[in-house]
Each structure stands twice: as C-alpha cells, then as structure tokens.
Amino acid sequence: MRFTAIAMAAGLAVSATAGHGQSLNLTLSGGNPGGLWSLLGAGIDRAAQVADTSAVVTYQATGGGFANIGLLGAGRTDLGLVHDAEAQLALGGEEPFRGPITNMRAIGYMYNWAPMHFFLDRSMAEQYGIDSLDDIAGSGAPIRIGINRSGNITSNIALMMFELVGVTDESLAEAGGQFVRAGANEQGELLQDGRLDMITNGIFINHSSFRAVDTNADVVLLSVPQEVIDATNERFGTGQMVIPAGSYSNQQADVNTVTLGALLAATDAMSDDDAYALTNALITNIDEVRAVHSAMQSLTPELLATPSVLEFHPGAARAYSEAGLSQ
C-alpha cells in the first residue's frame, strides 16, 4: 500500500487524477494508521493494481470520516472513507459542518455491520431491573455511561438513542450518574476498573475491545426498542442489524439495534472514466478487499452496489449496471 501520513493542520497536496486512457492515480483519505480503514485502503489499492499494474491508490491517514468529508468537500482528496451517518449530517450542513456538502458521490458501500452495542454491568442491571435501553430513565440507577469522544459519529448516535428513551445529562445527574467521554479501549478499561457502569459503541460484533469486556467484566447486552431504531435510522441514514444470541457470554436472546456502515466516496469532479475503472476493479477483484481483515468476509459486489445516503457517481453506476448489479 502507498501510505502517506498527513497532519490535518497542514496543506494537502491534491493528487493528479488520471485522465482518459491513463492508469488510475488517486488519493484515498481514511483513518488512523493500523486501523480497519487503513487496511481497506490497502485492499482497494491492491484491487486497482490487479486490474492495472500501473494503477496507484495512495492512502492518507486522517482524523476519520468527518475529516474526510471536509477534504472531499474542499476538493483536496480524490476518495474518502466515510460513515453513512457522517455523510447524512454533511448533506444537511449539520454540526460539525458549517454548511451542506453536496459534491460527494458514492463509489461503493464497503460494510454495513458495525452495530451499536450497549453493555451494562450485570449486578446493576439486576438490582434496578434494566433489560432494555428504555428501562434506564425510570430506574433511578446511578449509571456512569461511557460514550465515544466528541468528533466520533458513534457518540452522536448514542446520545440521540439515549435521548429518545429519556436519558440525558440532567436525568443521569439526578440519579447520581453521568456520561463519560472515552474511546473504545478506554471504555473497557474504565468498566473493568469499576469507574464506569455502562459502555456503548458502534463496532463489529466481537471486536477486540468488546471481547476484552466480555472476558474481563460481568456485563449484559441491553435490548433496543424498535421505535428507537426507526427514529435513529431516519435521522442518520443508518440501518438495522441483529446481534445474534450467544454472541456474548450473558446474551440469551437476539438483540436488534442500529448499525453503521462505511462508504467509499469520491466527488462529482472525478471523471466518469476513473470512477468506472475503480468500481470495475473493486467488483472483479473484491477478494483483494475481503482479504484485509476477517470482518470484511461478508463484502460482496451486491453490497458495493447498495444504495446509500449518497447517490452513485455516474461512472460507478455504469460499472454496476454493466455487471448486472441493481442499485
């Protein structure tokens, strides 16, 4: 993988986008080095190279989806990985964006299986009779709830889901609890140390941070009311997913919840030829992307072609149409 780390405060070099008849030469903005998105960058680069040995997809490490949307909106990157929920906020010009960003176009849906999890300490759940997210507000439990840091889309989603069931900063404070901002691995450590009672995040089932919590702490996975799922999906353009029974030690039943997805996005400035060539490379060499991580085994050409909050780039749409994939 061609890898370039960048500082967000510094100016970004705009890559030379390949013209008609030339090999792809694109820049892809992803996330932190070593994370799943950097692995996806490697897989996308490899898929392009298998299709054309002269093709180059250069990966840039950034602050994540919100940063990538800013770069796409300013025309300072060719491609970006973004969550569907982040793109939805950008289209409406909502925080953290200062106005609508409407030049983004989808190349393909990379995954849609990062469900929101809500783990609660089992002793507290049993003491206060909490089985579902909507049991919290009326329970009087002094719950210290870990949510992701500001700037991470899962924190936006979690806060809305809690608000929908009447759990707010004020209601938690009245009961002696609070929201605590912490990253995924930090949340697990704080729960195990007894400094949190509940954690929430939107990551793959049995992600390493969740496995650590399940192994080292006694927790239950709370159910989510359907009306909360529906309202959240309408707001953020997210989806619904089942966390199968038995995924975690104390989970006796299936749990329906909200799930995040990630898109590979370009802008309307990308040529139709480049978008077509890249999309074709992903369709025909999808095993190169699946191979980057076990979590990507469910990726299919059909998923790539799944409609999302972003309309497809015309070049990508042509590639899917020629491949017989519905959109």
Side-chain angles (χ1 to χ4, degrees):
M1 174 176 59
R2 287 81 167 175
F3 184 96
T4 304
I6 61 171
M8 293 308 301
L12 291 173
V14 179
S15 68
T17 302
H20 179 70
Q22 295 180 319
S23 297
L24 291 173
N25 183 8
L26 304 171
T27 299
L28 166 60
S29 298
N32 294 327
L36 176 67
W37 282 10
S38 69
L39 299 179
L40 286 177
I44 293 165
D45 181 38
R46 180 61 185 156
Q49 288 182 58
V50 171
D52 175 1
T53 57
S54 298
V56 178
V57 178
T58 303
Y59 183 85
Q60 294 185 136
T62 74
F66 282 135
N68 297 341
I69 290 172
L71 294 171
L72 288 165
R76 297 168 70 187
T77 190
D78 298 309
L79 297 164
L81 288 166
V82 303
H83 287 109
D84 40 19
E86 293 162 336
Q88 180 92 330
L89 294 179
L91 291 172
E94 300 181 55
E95 289 291 337
F97 305 104
R98 296 182 179 179
I101 297 178
T102 60
N103 69 332
M104 295 182 293
R105 299 293 182 266
I107 296 296
Y109 218 139
M110 304 307 295
Y111 62 82
N112 60 356
W113 48 82
M116 292 295 294
H117 290 60
F118 297 88
F119 287 110
L120 178 61
D121 176 79
R122 187 168 68 148
S123 63
M124 178 167 281
E126 292 177 348
Q127 179 180 353
Y128 290 92
I130 302 172
D131 298 310
S132 172
L133 209 60
D134 59 351
D135 292 331
I136 295 173
S139 69
I143 306 179
R144 297 161 297 175
I145 303 175
I147 59 173
N148 222 315
R149 298 186 180 281
S150 297
N152 187 300
I153 189 61
T154 62
S155 68
N156 299 58
I157 293 172
L159 286 173
M160 177 175 174
M161 294 176 75
F162 280 120
E163 184 177 356
L164 287 168
V165 295
V167 177
T168 63
D169 285 308
E170 293 75 21
S171 69
L172 284 174
E174 288 176 6
Q178 65 179 126
F179 285 122
V180 177
R181 298 277 188 173
N185 291 325
E186 294 174 281
Q187 287 185 33
E189 293 170 1
L190 292 170
L191 180 68
Q192 293 164 44
D193 292 345
R195 288 178 285 170
L196 284 179
D197 307 296
M198 183 176 182
I199 63 172
T200 180
N201 214 339
I203 320 179
F204 303 134
I205 296 172
N206 273 311
H207 182 271
S208 58
S209 62
F210 290 156
R211 287 201 307 272
V213 167
D214 194 43
T215 300
N216 300 314
D218 192 14
V219 294
V220 294
L221 185 66
L222 300 185
S223 62
V224 181
Q226 186 62 49
E227 58 269 24
V228 172
I229 296 172
D230 293 341
T232 304
N233 289 343
E234 182 177 355
R235 171 73 176 81
F236 287 103
T238 42
Q240 180 170 326
M241 182 176 174
V242 174
I243 302 175
S247 296
Y248 301 99
S249 298
N250 296 322
Q251 184 193 352
Q252 304 302 316
D254 291 348
V255 169
N256 289 309
T257 187
V258 169
T259 186
L260 289 88
L263 308 168
L264 178 62
T267 72
D268 55 10
M270 179 176 283
S271 72
D272 287 2
D273 287 340
D274 283 355
Y276 175 80
L278 177 60
T279 306
N280 249 343
L282 292 173
I283 294 169
T284 56
N285 303 307
I286 197 166
D287 285 343
E288 301 297 336
V289 183
R290 281 199 286 243
V292 303
H293 193 282
S294 59
M296 294 305 300
Q297 293 305 302
S298 296
L299 178 63
T300 63
E302 290 74 19
L303 180 67
L304 282 173
T306 300
S308 69
V309 297
L310 298 179
E311 66 178 86
F312 279 109
H313 191 290
R318 177 162 63 97
Y320 291 131
S321 177
E322 291 182 4
L325 299 168
S326 59
Q327 300 163 41

Coordinates of all heavy atoms in Angstrom, one line a residue, residues 117-125 143-147 180 182-200 209-221 250:
H117 N -23.7 -1.2 20.3 CA -23.8 -2.1 21.5 C -24.0 -1.3 22.7 O -23.4 -0.2 22.9 CB -22.5 -2.9 21.7 CG -22.2 -3.9 20.7 ND1 -22.0 -3.7 19.3 CD2 -21.9 -5.3 20.8 CE1 -21.7 -4.8 18.7 NE2 -21.6 -5.8 19.5
F118 N -24.8 -1.8 23.7 CA -25.0 -1.2 25.0 C -24.8 -2.2 26.1 O -25.7 -3.0 26.3 CB -26.4 -0.6 25.0 CG -26.6 0.5 24.0 CD1 -27.1 0.2 22.8 CD2 -26.4 1.9 24.4 CE1 -27.3 1.2 21.8 CE2 -26.6 2.9 23.4 CZ -27.1 2.6 22.2
F119 N -23.6 -2.2 26.6 CA -23.2 -3.2 27.7 C -23.4 -2.5 29.1 O -22.9 -1.4 29.3 CB -21.8 -3.6 27.6 CG -21.5 -4.6 26.5 CD1 -20.8 -4.1 25.4 CD2 -21.9 -5.9 26.5 CE1 -20.5 -5.0 24.3 CE2 -21.7 -6.7 25.5 CZ -20.9 -6.3 24.4
L120 N -24.1 -3.2 30.0 CA -24.3 -2.7 31.3 C -23.8 -3.7 32.3 O -24.0 -4.9 32.1 CB -25.8 -2.4 31.6 CG -26.2 -2.0 33.0 CD1 -25.5 -0.6 33.4 CD2 -27.7 -1.8 33.1
D121 N -23.2 -3.3 33.4 CA -22.7 -4.2 34.5 C -23.9 -5.0 34.9 O -25.0 -4.5 35.2 CB -22.2 -3.3 35.6 CG -21.8 -4.2 36.8 OD1 -20.7 -4.8 36.8 OD2 -22.7 -4.2 37.8
R122 N -23.7 -6.3 35.0 CA -24.8 -7.2 35.3 C -25.4 -7.0 36.6 O -26.7 -7.1 36.8 CB -24.4 -8.7 35.1 CG -25.6 -9.6 35.2 CD -25.3 -11.0 34.8 NE -24.3 -11.7 35.7 CZ -24.3 -13.0 36.0 NH1 -25.2 -13.8 35.3 NH2 -23.4 -13.5 36.8
S123 N -24.6 -6.7 37.7 CA -25.2 -6.6 39.0 C -26.1 -5.3 39.1 O -27.1 -5.3 39.7 CB -24.0 -6.4 40.0 OG -23.2 -5.3 39.8
M124 N -25.7 -4.2 38.4 CA -26.5 -3.1 38.3 C -27.8 -3.3 37.5 O -28.9 -2.9 37.9 CB -25.8 -1.9 37.7 CG -26.6 -0.6 37.6 SD -25.7 0.9 37.3 CE -25.0 1.2 38.9
A125 N -27.7 -4.1 36.4 CA -28.9 -4.4 35.6 C -29.9 -5.2 36.5 O -31.1 -4.9 36.4 CB -28.5 -5.2 34.4
I143 N -26.1 5.4 36.9 CA -25.2 4.8 35.9 C -24.2 5.8 35.3 O -24.6 6.9 34.9 CB -26.1 4.2 34.8 CG1 -27.1 3.3 35.3 CG2 -25.2 3.5 33.8 CD1 -28.0 2.7 34.2
R144 N -23.0 5.4 35.4 CA -21.9 6.2 34.7 C -21.7 5.5 33.3 O -21.3 4.4 33.2 CB -20.6 6.1 35.5 CG -20.7 6.8 36.9 CD -19.6 6.3 37.8 NE -19.7 4.9 38.0 CZ -18.8 4.2 38.8 NH1 -17.8 4.8 39.3 NH2 -19.0 2.9 38.9
I145 N -22.1 6.3 32.3 CA -22.2 5.7 30.9 C -21.0 6.2 30.1 O -20.9 7.4 29.9 CB -23.5 6.0 30.2 CG1 -24.7 5.6 31.1 CG2 -23.6 5.5 28.8 CD1 -26.0 6.0 30.5
G146 N -20.2 5.3 29.5 CA -19.2 5.7 28.6 C -19.7 5.8 27.2 O -20.3 4.9 26.7
I147 N -19.4 6.9 26.6 CA -19.7 7.1 25.1 C -18.5 7.6 24.5 O -17.6 8.1 25.1 CB -20.9 8.1 24.9 CG1 -20.6 9.5 25.5 CG2 -22.2 7.5 25.5 CD1 -21.6 10.5 25.1
V180 N -19.6 9.8 30.3 CA -18.2 9.9 30.4 C -17.6 9.7 29.0 O -17.9 8.7 28.3 CB -17.5 8.9 31.3 CG1 -16.0 9.0 31.3 CG2 -18.1 9.1 32.7
A182 N -15.0 8.7 26.3 CA -13.8 7.8 26.3 C -13.8 7.0 25.0 O -14.9 6.6 24.6 CB -13.7 6.9 27.5
G183 N -12.7 6.7 24.5 CA -12.5 5.8 23.3 C -12.9 4.4 23.7 O -13.0 4.0 24.8
A184 N -13.0 3.5 22.6 CA -13.4 2.2 22.8 C -12.6 1.4 23.8 O -13.1 0.8 24.7 CB -13.4 1.5 21.4
N185 N -11.3 1.4 23.6 CA -10.4 0.6 24.5 C -10.4 1.2 25.9 O -10.4 0.5 26.9 CB -9.0 0.6 24.0 CG -8.9 -0.3 22.7 OD1 -9.6 -1.3 22.6 ND2 -8.0 0.1 21.8
E186 N -10.5 2.6 26.0 CA -10.5 3.2 27.3 C -11.8 2.9 28.1 O -11.8 2.6 29.3 CB -10.5 4.8 27.2 CG -9.2 5.3 26.6 CD -9.3 6.8 26.4 OE1 -9.9 7.2 25.3 OE2 -8.9 7.6 27.2
Q187 N -12.9 2.8 27.4 CA -14.2 2.4 28.0 C -14.1 1.1 28.7 O -14.5 0.9 29.8 CB -15.3 2.4 27.0 CG -15.8 3.8 26.5 CD -17.0 3.6 25.5 OE1 -17.8 2.8 25.7 NE2 -17.1 4.5 24.6
G188 N -13.5 0.1 28.0 CA -13.4 -1.2 28.5 C -12.6 -1.2 29.8 O -12.9 -1.9 30.8
E189 N -11.4 -0.5 29.8 CA -10.6 -0.4 31.0 C -11.3 0.2 32.1 O -11.2 -0.2 33.3 CB -9.3 0.3 30.6 CG -8.4 -0.4 29.6 CD -7.3 0.5 29.1 OE1 -7.2 1.6 29.6 OE2 -6.5 0.0 28.3
L190 N -12.0 1.3 31.8 CA -12.8 2.0 32.9 C -13.9 1.1 33.5 O -14.1 1.2 34.7 CB -13.4 3.3 32.4 CG -12.4 4.4 32.0 CD1 -13.0 5.6 31.2 CD2 -11.6 4.9 33.2
L191 N -14.5 0.4 32.6 CA -15.6 -0.6 33.1 C -15.0 -1.6 34.0 O -15.5 -1.9 35.1 CB -16.3 -1.2 32.0 CG -17.4 -2.2 32.3 CD1 -18.6 -1.4 32.9 CD2 -17.9 -2.9 31.0
Q192 N -13.9 -2.2 33.6 CA -13.2 -3.3 34.3 C -12.6 -2.7 35.7 O -12.6 -3.5 36.6 CB -12.1 -3.9 33.5 CG -12.6 -4.6 32.3 CD -11.5 -4.9 31.3 OE1 -10.4 -5.3 31.6 NE2 -11.8 -4.7 30.0
D193 N -12.3 -1.5 35.7 CA -11.7 -0.8 36.9 C -12.8 -0.3 37.9 O -12.5 0.2 38.9 CB -10.8 0.3 36.6 CG -9.5 -0.1 35.9 OD1 -9.2 -1.4 36.0 OD2 -8.8 0.7 35.4
G194 N -14.1 -0.5 37.4 CA -15.2 0.0 38.3 C -15.5 1.5 38.2 O -16.2 2.0 39.0
R195 N -14.9 2.1 37.2 CA -15.1 3.6 37.1 C -16.2 3.9 36.1 O -16.6 5.1 35.9 CB -13.8 4.3 36.7 CG -12.8 4.3 37.8 CD -11.5 4.9 37.3 NE -10.7 4.1 36.5 CZ -9.6 4.4 35.8 NH1 -9.3 5.7 35.9 NH2 -9.0 3.6 35.1
L196 N -16.7 2.9 35.4 CA -17.9 3.0 34.5 C -18.8 1.8 34.8 O -18.4 0.8 35.3 CB -17.5 3.0 33.0 CG -16.9 4.2 32.4 CD1 -16.6 3.9 30.9 CD2 -17.8 5.4 32.5
D197 N -20.1 2.1 34.6 CA -21.1 1.0 34.8 C -21.6 0.5 33.5 O -22.2 -0.6 33.4 CB -22.3 1.5 35.6 CG -21.8 2.1 36.9 OD1 -21.3 1.4 37.8 OD2 -22.0 3.4 37.1
M198 N -21.5 1.3 32.4 CA -22.0 1.0 31.1 C -21.2 1.6 30.0 O -20.5 2.6 30.2 CB -23.5 1.6 31.0 CG -24.2 1.3 29.8 SD -25.9 2.0 29.8 CE -26.5 1.4 28.2
I199 N -21.1 0.9 28.9 CA -20.3 1.4 27.8 C -21.1 1.2 26.5 O -22.0 0.3 26.5 CB -18.9 0.7 27.6 CG1 -19.1 -0.8 27.3 CG2 -18.1 0.9 28.8 CD1 -17.8 -1.5 27.0
T200 N -20.9 2.0 25.5 CA -21.6 1.9 24.3 C -20.7 2.3 23.1 O -19.8 3.2 23.3 CB -22.9 2.7 24.2 OG1 -23.5 2.6 23.0 CG2 -22.5 4.2 24.5
S209 N -12.1 -4.9 21.5 CA -12.4 -4.2 22.7 C -13.6 -4.8 23.4 O -13.7 -4.8 24.6 CB -12.7 -2.7 22.3 OG -13.8 -2.6 21.5
F210 N -14.6 -5.3 22.6 CA -15.8 -6.0 23.2 C -15.4 -7.4 23.8 O -16.0 -7.8 24.8 CB -16.9 -6.1 22.2 CG -17.5 -4.8 21.8 CD1 -18.2 -4.7 20.6 CD2 -17.5 -3.7 22.6 CE1 -18.8 -3.5 20.2 CE2 -18.1 -2.5 22.3 CZ -18.8 -2.4 21.0
R211 N -14.5 -8.1 23.1 CA -14.1 -9.4 23.6 C -13.4 -9.2 25.0 O -13.6 -10.0 25.9 CB -13.2 -10.1 22.7 CG -13.8 -10.6 21.4 CD -13.0 -11.7 20.8 NE -11.6 -11.2 20.5 CZ -11.2 -10.6 19.4 NH1 -12.0 -10.3 18.5 NH2 -9.9 -10.3 19.3
A212 N -12.6 -8.1 25.1 CA -12.0 -7.9 26.4 C -13.0 -7.6 27.5 O -12.8 -8.1 28.6 CB -11.0 -6.7 26.2
V213 N -14.0 -6.8 27.2 CA -15.0 -6.5 28.2 C -15.8 -7.8 28.5 O -16.0 -8.1 29.7 CB -16.0 -5.5 27.6 CG1 -17.3 -5.4 28.5 CG2 -15.3 -4.1 27.5
D214 N -16.2 -8.6 27.6 CA -16.9 -9.8 27.8 C -16.1 -10.8 28.6 O -16.7 -11.5 29.5 CB -17.3 -10.4 26.5 CG -18.4 -11.5 26.6 OD1 -19.3 -11.3 27.4 OD2 -18.2 -12.6 25.9
T215 N -14.8 -10.8 28.4 CA -14.0 -11.7 29.2 C -13.6 -11.3 30.6 O -13.6 -12.1 31.5 CB -12.6 -12.0 28.4 OG1 -12.9 -12.5 27.1 CG2 -11.7 -12.9 29.2
N216 N -13.4 -10.0 30.7 CA -12.9 -9.4 32.0 C -13.9 -8.7 32.9 O -13.6 -8.3 34.0 CB -11.7 -8.5 31.7 CG -10.6 -9.2 30.9 OD1 -10.2 -10.3 31.3 ND2 -10.1 -8.5 29.9
A217 N -15.1 -8.6 32.4 CA -16.2 -7.9 33.2 C -17.5 -8.7 33.1 O -17.7 -9.5 32.1 CB -16.4 -6.5 32.7
D218 N -18.3 -8.6 34.0 CA -19.6 -9.3 34.0 C -20.7 -8.3 33.6 O -21.2 -7.5 34.3 CB -19.9 -9.8 35.5 CG -21.1 -10.8 35.5 OD1 -21.5 -11.3 34.4 OD2 -21.6 -11.0 36.6
V219 N -21.0 -8.4 32.3 CA -21.9 -7.4 31.7 C -23.1 -8.1 30.9 O -23.0 -9.3 30.6 CB -21.2 -6.5 30.7 CG1 -20.2 -5.6 31.4 CG2 -20.5 -7.4 29.6
V220 N -24.1 -7.4 30.7 CA -25.3 -7.9 29.9 C -25.4 -6.9 28.7 O -25.1 -5.7 28.8 CB -26.6 -8.0 30.7 CG1 -26.5 -9.1 31.7 CG2 -26.9 -6.6 31.3
L221 N -25.9 -7.4 27.6 CA -26.2 -6.5 26.4 C -27.6 -6.1 26.4 O -28.5 -7.0 26.4 CB -25.8 -7.3 25.2 CG -25.9 -6.6 23.8 CD1 -24.9 -5.5 23.8 CD2 -25.7 -7.5 22.7
N250 N -23.3 -13.4 28.4 CA -24.6 -13.4 29.1 C -25.7 -13.0 28.2 O -26.8 -12.5 28.7 CB -24.5 -12.4 30.3 CG -23.5 -12.8 31.3 OD1 -23.4 -14.0 31.7 ND2 -22.8 -11.8 31.9

